Amino acid sequence: MNLNLYGFDSQWIAVDCGMMIRQDLPDTPLQVPNLDTARALGITPCALIITHGHEDHIGAAAWLWPRWGCPIHATPLAAGLLRAKFMERGLATDAIHVIEPGEALECGPFTLRYLPLTHSIPESCALLIVAGSHRVLHTGDWKLDPEPLIGDAMSAASFRAIAPVDLVVGDSTNAPTPGHSRSEGDVARALEHSIAACKGRVVVSCFASNLARVLAIGRAAQRCGRRVSLIGRSMERMVGVARGLGYLDDFPPLVPVSDLGYLPPDEVLVIATGSQGEPRAALHRLARGRHPTLELGSGDSVIFSAKAIPGNEILIDRLKGGLRMLGVTLLDEFSHPELHASGHPAQDELRTFYGWVKPRHLVPVHGEYRHQQVHRELAESLGIKAPLVPVNGDLIRLDSDGITLEARHPQPPCIISKNAVAPLPGLAGAASRGTHHGSLYLALSVTATDAGGWTRIGRLMLDASQASPLDEDAFSDWLDETLDSLRADTLSELRVALQPRLLAWFADHLRRLPDIHLQILAVEAPSTSDLD
């Protein structure tokens, strides 16, 4: 959810304030960051700094900002989206200040410069944060795209000019991916080729915030003789704000959805939300035949110009099943990978970027643990110190000795319930006030490996009978991978390293978090003669 806090000389700033949709919970509520730790530590930021306008970077601001009341600094597109969110909740927008990419501002002891970069939404920026003698580059989300369609490619000279930096807090999302991410220009050409081959109605589903993709779809439709319509509230809002800022001046005229029935099928193209199988999104209603003005059937095509976000696979499969039952032809990331490009850097891009900014240290963020671990290993191969992989709630210190983990603070989830922020029932955790949602008992027999990690010996001893249903195979696979990657010299150190990751995994995979009882036992690995 991308809420980051930077402190220096007893003053703090917040960078981004995002939310996520809990599609594994009834009614798919919004989950927002928990501010209890910040409140307990006496942290109130003097400013909220926004790197770009994606929901996982701005979505919680309208809910959490009233607790701070501080100035908000954002580029024009993100500021426009924030204003719309604030007005929906009846909040004044005076605190939202526009800063252009490339400009700088001062906030208490912090000097911040917005450095433009390319991502899947315009005006994305990295932040150079200078405080005292320390220089930190917070990358946000980024990629190296030579043909971004909207905006300019990244300036190598701008980033070389800030080198060296003490620390990069860097995007790990695609760190395991070799090579270079695909350009939006390549995707635009692939979309036009695919749309031209379709016969009936065409629906293209993508993220509303990916304006370059929306523009590419609109241009392709126009060249293929199709009229364009939008379905989905977030899509309509995003296009409206972007047009007001001049980003979609050459976008074709829009046809109201209510008029699509008067057009021949081969002249219809709809850009719709819902690529992740969201039950309330436009594409889900189309797949169920419940859209009030548009029906899909045999001969029509749906193009998924978006990658499945991990955790959404079941919902997406269900959505695609419904479309297939209607006789719709599907084009997705598996059958046509050229129809999507990631907004995050692959390995060659990371190497290039770090060659520009020459960081001394790295804190790998974004993605899952395995992405961060690969990012860490890549950085160390380049001579960059990366001693830790953080988890939510970690308090990390940067000083003349490098980066160290100061403390770990558990982060119980909070959801938006009845128009207010509230702890998710059953996920507050026993450490805070006790739970009434069962108990889970886990005993591990482990031994150290020659590679420096740990491995389980014998079967997993897990009693989850009093807890929510659990996929034990998925948990076992995750646990083995995590144990192998943890570096700890003693069982107590292993427990300290493992426990917050266990809590995070269960919070993500169980509807209600039980009291978790963990026991770790050290045993010797069986020798070859024993096995014989």
Side-chain angles (χ1 to χ4, degrees), residues 169-180:
V169 178
D171 185 354
S172 309
T173 307
N174 275 351
T177 305
H180 199 289

Side-chain angles (χ1 to χ4, degrees), residues 24-280:
D24 59 321
L25 296 176
D27 300 322
T28 58
L30 302 181
Q31 182 175 326
V32 299
N34 190 323
L35 296 186
D36 289 349
T37 296
R39 187 183 301 109
L41 297 175
I43 295 173
T44 301
C46 61
L48 170 58
I49 314 296
I50 301 297
T51 61
H52 64 283
H54 274 150
E55 285 295 295
D56 60 333
H57 290 257
I58 67 169
W63 303 98
L64 302 185
W65 170 84
R67 303 187 184 186
W68 298 331
C70 60
I72 302 173
H73 300 279
T75 52
L77 178 59
L81 296 171
L82 279 170
R83 288 193 185 101
K85 290 177 177 294
F86 274 44
M87 288 187 288
E88 276 187 359
R89 298 210 63 229
L91 299 173
T93 61
D94 300 349
I96 302 172
H97 304 283
V98 172
I99 182 168
E100 295 292 336
E103 291 184 351
L105 67 137
E106 293 189 359
C107 237
F110 300 94
T111 300
L112 303 109
R113 181 170 294 279
Y114 275 70
L115 297 169
L117 39 71
T118 47
H119 183 43
S120 52
I121 187 172
E123 299 176 0
S124 295
C125 290
L127 293 173
L128 178 64
I129 304 171
V130 179
S133 61
H134 305 295
R135 293 158 53 81
V136 176
L137 183 64
H138 181 101
T139 70
D141 297 348
W142 66 279
K143 65 183 287 187
L144 294 181
D145 192 336
E147 194 180 359
L149 296 189
I150 295 179
D152 299 323
M154 282 175 64
S155 166
S158 297
F159 286 93
R160 287 193 179 108
I162 67 172
V165 296
D166 297 306
L167 171 65
V168 163
V169 178
D171 185 354
S172 309
T173 307
N174 275 351
T177 305
H180 199 289
S181 60
R182 188 177 289 111
S183 170
E184 285 295 332
D186 294 333
V187 175
R189 288 180 282 275
L191 280 166
E192 184 172 345
H193 180 267
S194 294
I195 291 170
C198 294
K199 303 302 181 185
R201 299 174 188 84
V202 175
V203 176
V204 185
S205 186
C206 65
F207 294 114
S209 59
N210 194 339
L211 290 175
R213 193 73 50 81
V214 173
L215 177 60
I217 297 165
R219 287 173 174 172
Q222 193 170 43
R223 290 169 184 157
C224 295
R226 293 179 179 270
R227 308 288 296 277
V228 179
S229 186
L230 305 179
I231 296 183
R233 184 182 175 196
S234 61
M235 185 70 69
E236 294 168 355
R237 172 193 284 174
M238 183 66 69
V239 169
V241 173
R243 277 184 149 175
L245 294 170
Y247 280 121
L248 298 175
D249 287 344
D250 59 345
F251 196 76
L254 292 171
V255 175
V257 179
S258 56
D259 292 349
L260 292 179
Y262 300 104
L263 294 175
D266 61 357
E267 293 182 15
V268 171
L269 185 139
V270 173
I271 309 176
T273 57
S275 64
Q276 302 305 302
E278 301 97 316
R280 297 179 181 176

Side-chain angles (χ1 to χ4, degrees), residues 293-445:
T293 58
L294 180 65
E295 291 184 0
L296 297 180
S298 179
D300 297 334
S301 300
V302 172
I303 297 173
F304 286 81
S305 189
K307 185 178 178 64
I309 296 174
N312 293 341
E313 294 86 355
I314 294 176
L315 288 172
I316 295 172
D317 287 345
R318 193 176 301 154
L319 169 67
K320 290 179 178 178
L323 291 168
R324 289 190 183 99
M325 289 182 66
L326 296 175
V328 171
T329 300
L330 301 183
L331 295 80
D332 59 18
E333 61 180 296
F334 304 106
S335 61
H336 291 79
E338 72 278 7
L339 297 177
H340 175 64
S342 173
H344 303 273
Q347 292 178 359
D348 286 352
E349 293 160 274
L350 291 169
R351 293 188 183 95
T352 298
F353 186 68
Y354 293 152
W356 295 347
V357 300
K358 302 189 183 307
R360 297 186 177 96
H361 302 88
L362 168 75
V363 171
V365 296
H366 303 335
E368 300 174 358
Y369 177 78
R370 63 184 182 88
H371 303 91
Q372 296 168 327
Q373 181 62 27
V374 172
H375 192 183
R376 175 187 181 187
E377 293 167 358
L378 184 147
E380 290 177 336
S381 74
L382 299 174
I384 303 167
K385 297 178 181 177
L388 54 88
V389 173
V391 297
N392 289 335
D394 279 4
L395 182 62
I396 298 168
R397 174 180 293 274
L398 168 67
D399 56 24
S400 57
D401 295 326
I403 53 175
T404 53
L405 178 62
E406 286 280 294
R408 285 204 151 128
H409 301 277
Q411 299 295 296
C414 288
I415 62 168
I416 304 301
S417 175
K418 298 180 181 178
N419 212 33
V421 179
L424 182 59
L427 288 181
S432 58
R433 63 171 192 252
T435 70
H436 301 281
H437 302 287
S439 299
L440 183 147
Y441 298 88
L442 174 63
L444 301 177
S445 298

